[in-house]
Amino acid sequence: MDKLTEILVDALKLALAEPGEQRLFKSGKLPGLFAGKTGLNAEAAARALRDGLLEVVRTEAKGKTTAEWVRITPRAMEFLHQQESPVQALKDLRTILQTNQEAIPLWLSEMQHQLQSLGHHLAEEAQRWTHRLDALGEQVEAALRRAEAAGPQLPNGMAAETPWAVDALAYLDHRRTGGAAKDCPLPELFAALRDRHTDLSLNAFHEGLRRLHDRHALQLLPFTGSPSEMTEPEYALLDGPNLFYFVSR
C-alpha cells in the first residue's frame, strides 16, 4: 500500500469508528480526519471526495477560513474491504511461506559452511522447521479455500423472497471487517442497497429486514435514545413495542 492510500485508509477508519459528521482537516487542537491541508494529506482528502468515499454535509466559515464537515459513504465500506481483505492477507502469508521454504536450502548450505561442527544439529532443526512450514502452508491453503468459497449464508428460500438479502449481509460483513465499531444504522444500509437495487422501496426493505431477523440471518436493534434525536426517523422500523433503528450480523 502506497503512502497516500495508507493515509486515506486511516482517515476512513477514523470516520467509520465515529459515526456522524466530522471535520475534514485537523485544525490546531480540533480533531479532523486528515492531519493537514498540504502534501499527501491534501491529495488523500481530494481523492476521498472525488471518489465518493466521503461526502460534504456542511461548511463552516470563520474569517477567511472555511472548514468542511464530512461523513463516510457506503462506497467507502467496499473500498476498505478491498484494501484489507482477509483473503488477500492469507494470500500474502502463503507467498511468505513459499519464499521461506525455497530459501531454506541456501540458508542451510551457508550455515553448514560457517559452522561445520553444528551442521548435523542445524540440518535436524531445518527439517523440523520445514515440516512445520509445510503443515502451516496446508492450513493456510485450507483457510483460503474456505474464505473464498464462503459467502453470506441465507436460510432456505430467503434468496427468492428477499433478492437483496445477500448484498445486505455482504455489506454488513464488509463493514465489520473494515473496522466499524458500532452497529449499522438502517438509513446507511438502505442507501448502500439502493446502489444495486434501484427499485427497492422502504416498505419492501422493512419487510425483508423482519424476515431476516425472524430467521436469525441478522439482528435488528432498537434506538435507545429519544425518538426526537433520530436524524432520519423515516427509516426506523416499528415492530410492536419495538422501534428498530440499527442492524448487525
Side-chain angles (χ1 to χ4, degrees):
M1 188 184 301
D2 59 79
K3 185 63 177 178
L4 188 145
T5 304
E6 183 179 342
I7 293 173
L8 178 56
V9 168
D10 289 342
L12 292 178
K13 284 186 175 182
L14 184 61
L16 188 61
E18 296 292 337
E21 60 183 38
Q22 299 182 60
R23 292 175 68 94
L24 182 60
F25 293 106
K26 181 180 180 181
S27 177
K29 294 183 178 181
L30 297 176
L33 299 181
F34 296 93
K37 296 183 177 182
T38 59
L40 289 178
N41 281 283
E43 292 182 34
R47 177 182 172 186
L49 296 174
R50 183 181 66 248
D51 294 350
L53 307 178
L54 295 173
E55 61 181 359
V56 178
V57 294
R58 65 184 176 93
T59 58
E60 184 179 277
K62 188 175 183 181
K64 295 183 179 181
T65 304
T66 300
E68 294 176 306
W69 294 77
V70 298
R71 65 182 175 188
I72 197 167
T73 68
R75 187 173 297 175
M77 306 301 175
E78 185 173 351
F79 175 81
L80 285 173
H81 179 70
Q82 291 171 349
Q83 294 298 322
E84 299 191 349
S85 168
V87 173
Q88 185 59 47
L90 286 172
K91 288 181 177 178
D92 292 342
L93 177 56
R94 179 178 61 185
T95 300
I96 293 173
L97 289 172
Q98 291 172 343
T99 301
N100 278 278
Q101 285 175 313
E102 293 168 358
I104 284 178
L106 178 60
W107 167 79
L108 179 59
S109 176
E110 292 174 351
M111 291 299 294
Q112 286 176 331
H113 179 71
Q114 296 175 19
L115 304 169
Q116 293 182 358
S117 62
L118 297 177
H120 181 68
H121 174 72
L122 289 173
E124 291 178 348
E125 285 295 314
Q127 189 65 27
R128 281 197 291 269
W129 275 106
T130 298
H131 289 318
R132 293 175 185 174
L133 289 171
D134 287 341
L136 183 56
E138 291 176 1
Q139 293 174 12
V140 169
E141 290 287 353
L144 271 173
R145 289 193 294 271
R146 290 194 300 270
E148 290 175 337
Q153 299 298 313
L154 287 175
N156 292 335
M158 285 298 298
E161 296 176 0
T162 313
W164 47 265
V166 170
D167 290 332
L169 298 185
Y171 179 80
L172 294 176
D173 287 342
H174 294 174
R175 192 177 185 275
R176 179 175 55 189
T177 58
K182 298 186 179 180
D183 298 313
C184 179
L186 295 186
E188 178 184 326
L189 179 58
F190 184 78
L193 292 174
R194 283 296 295 271
D195 284 347
R196 295 187 177 181
H197 305 273
T198 55
D199 58 344
L200 178 62
S201 67
L202 189 56
N203 286 337
F205 177 62
H206 282 167
E207 289 301 320
L209 288 178
R210 284 191 180 96
R211 288 193 292 269
L212 292 169
H213 176 80
D214 291 341
R215 300 291 293 276
H216 307 291
L218 51 72
Q219 183 178 16
L220 291 169
L221 301 168
F223 187 86
T224 56
S226 170
S228 62
E229 298 174 356
M230 289 185 186
T231 56
E232 297 176 280
E234 65 272 20
Y235 291 96
L237 195 164
L238 184 62
D239 189 8
N242 298 312
L243 184 62
F244 296 121
Y245 194 71
F246 299 96
V247 61
S248 69
R249 270 300 253 139

